[in-house]
Amino acid sequence: MKILDAEFVKGFIRMANDGWEQGWHERNGGNLTYRIKADEVDAVKENFTFDRPWTPIGTSVPFLAGEYFMTTGSGKYFRNVILDAEANTGIVEIDEKGENFRIVWGLLNGARPTSELPSHLMNHEVKKQVSGGKHRVIYHAHPANTIALTFVLPLDDVTFTREIWEMATECPVVFPDGIGVVPWMVPGGRDIAVATSELMKQYDVAIWAHHGMFCSGEDFDLTFGLMHTVEKAAEILVKVRSMAPAKRQTILPDDFRDLARDFGLTLPEKFLK
Ligand code: 13P
Ligand code: ZN
C-alpha cells in the first residue's frame, strides 16, 4: 500500500491540519507523533528504506524498542503537512535498546524528527505501560489561552485542574485524572522530557508553563478532542477573568461529586478541596 493511502497517515495529516486551523501552530510550533500498530507497519513497509544512519534519541526508551513512529519534522510547519507529508513528516524506527532512531520514510532533504522527540518518546513509553498499550498519540501544541493562564495562575496541578474543570461541565468527564503542570524549562532536551513523562504517569494532559501543552490519547480524535476541550475551557477562564475579578457562581465541590456519581467517574479528592 502507498503510504499516503494508509488510514493512519490520513488521520495524522488531518489532525495536523485541524491543529493548524485552530491557530495552535504558528510557524513550526508544536509537534505530533503516533506509535504505529504492527499491522499498519506491515501494510506500508514496502515503502521503507533502511539505509539512513542510526541517531541517538538523547534519552533511553527501552519499552519502545523496535517500535515505529510517525512524526512531524523539526522546524517544519503544520500548515505544510497537508501539502507535502513526505517532506514535513516521516516515519522512524527505534533500535533494540531504545536509544537510537533511524528515518525509514519521509523527512526528505535532510530533515530531522521534531526536536521534542525525547519528550514524545518518554511520554509514549510511560503511556504504553500505564494504558496497557492503548495510548498511541502524543500531541504538543501552542494554544494561546492555556499559555496565557500560565502567567496568572499558580503553577500547580491542583489549581490548574480545578480552575479548568470549573469552566465546562464536560471537562471532568473528558479528563477525570486532571492536568499536570511543568514549570518553565528549556525545551527540546531530556530534563523536560523526564519532568513531563513523570506527570504522564497520572495525567493525559501536561501544560508547559509559558510554552504550550502536551496531550496523550488512544487515537487522533480522542487526543485532538482532549487538547480542544482543555483549550476551550482555558478560553472561557480567560474571558471570565477579563470580565470580573471573581466568579459570581461556579461548579462547587459537591456538584463535582454528584457528577462523578452519576457519570461513574473517579475524581481525585485533592482537586475538590
Ligand atoms: P520542532 O519544530 O522541532 O517540532 O519544535 C517546535 C516546538 O514546538 C518546540 O517545543
Ligand atoms: Zn513547543
Side-chain angles (χ1 to χ4, degrees):
M1 184 193 292
K2 284 192 187 142
I3 294 267
L4 297 182
D5 290 337
E7 287 304 319
F8 79 88
V9 176
K10 289 186 202 166
F12 187 103
I13 294 169
R14 183 183 133 193
M15 178 156 163
N17 201 60
D18 286 348
W20 155 252
E21 288 183 350
Q22 288 295 327
W24 299 339
H25 299 286
E26 76 293 341
R27 202 174 182 278
N28 64 308
N31 21 77
L32 174 63
T33 55
Y34 171 69
R35 186 166 60 84
I36 308 171
K37 295 176 184 165
D39 60 319
E40 292 170 331
V41 171
D42 288 344
V44 296
K45 214 168 185 173
E46 67 202 44
N47 303 280
F48 293 176
T49 56
F50 297 93
D51 52 355
R52 288 194 252 184
W54 289 107
T55 307
I57 296 165
T59 189
S60 179
V61 284
F63 284 97
L64 300 179
E67 295 263 17
Y68 290 83
F69 290 86
M70 184 159 183
T71 177
T72 48
S74 186
K76 300 299 183 187
Y77 293 26
F78 269 54
R79 170 73 187 95
N80 293 335
V81 168
I82 200 168
L83 302 176
D84 189 350
E86 198 168 3
N88 294 289
T89 74
I91 294 176
V92 297
E93 177 191 8
I94 308 300
D95 73 357
E96 268 108 82
K97 287 192 171 154
E99 287 179 359
N100 299 282
F101 71 85
R102 69 178 169 188
I103 300 164
V104 298
W105 177 84
L107 294 169
L108 297 178
N109 307 315
R112 314 297 306 158
T114 172
S115 60
E116 304 294 2
L117 196 66
S119 279
H120 278 255
L121 292 181
M122 289 193 82
N123 291 341
H124 276 294
E125 187 177 51
V126 163
K127 283 302 186 188
K128 185 182 172 187
Q129 292 174 83
V130 298
S131 74
K134 285 188 182 158
H135 277 222
R136 294 191 169 272
V137 181
I138 298 288
Y139 182 32
H140 169 57
H142 295 173
N145 294 287
T146 301
I147 297 169
L149 291 177
T150 68
F151 293 90
V152 297
L153 293 182
L155 296 174
D156 66 77
D157 305 0
V158 170
T159 305
F160 265 80
T161 300
R162 178 67 177 276
E163 289 284 347
I164 290 181
W165 274 4
E166 283 183 35
M167 291 303 108
T169 301
E170 69 171 325
C171 283
V173 180
V174 175
F175 45 100
D177 298 330
I179 296 174
V181 181
V182 181
W184 188 86
M185 293 176 75
V186 176
R190 187 170 182 277
D191 290 350
I192 197 165
V194 169
T196 312
S197 62
E198 196 55 40
L199 292 174
M200 284 290 177
K201 290 177 184 168
Q202 295 176 62
Y203 307 118
D204 293 340
V205 184
I207 292 173
W208 281 4
H210 323 323
H211 184 143
M213 182 165 26
F214 266 84
C215 288
S216 173
E218 294 183 16
D219 60 27
F220 296 119
D221 278 349
L222 287 167
T223 314
F224 188 86
L226 178 56
M227 177 85 64
H228 205 182
T229 305
V230 175
E231 172 60 5
K232 177 86 177 279
E235 182 181 353
I236 298 168
L237 185 52
V238 168
K239 288 183 198 295
V240 168
R241 292 175 76 101
S242 308
M243 285 189 286
K247 292 167 228 163
R248 182 169 175 147
Q249 55 269 323
T250 187
I251 305 170
L252 299 169
D254 275 341
D255 299 331
F256 285 119
R257 292 186 187 103
D258 289 347
L259 184 76
R261 186 195 59 232
D262 284 10
F263 277 71
L265 307 169
T266 305
L267 299 180
E269 275 295 317
K270 67 175 174 176
F271 299 129
L272 300 180
K273 297 221 167 76

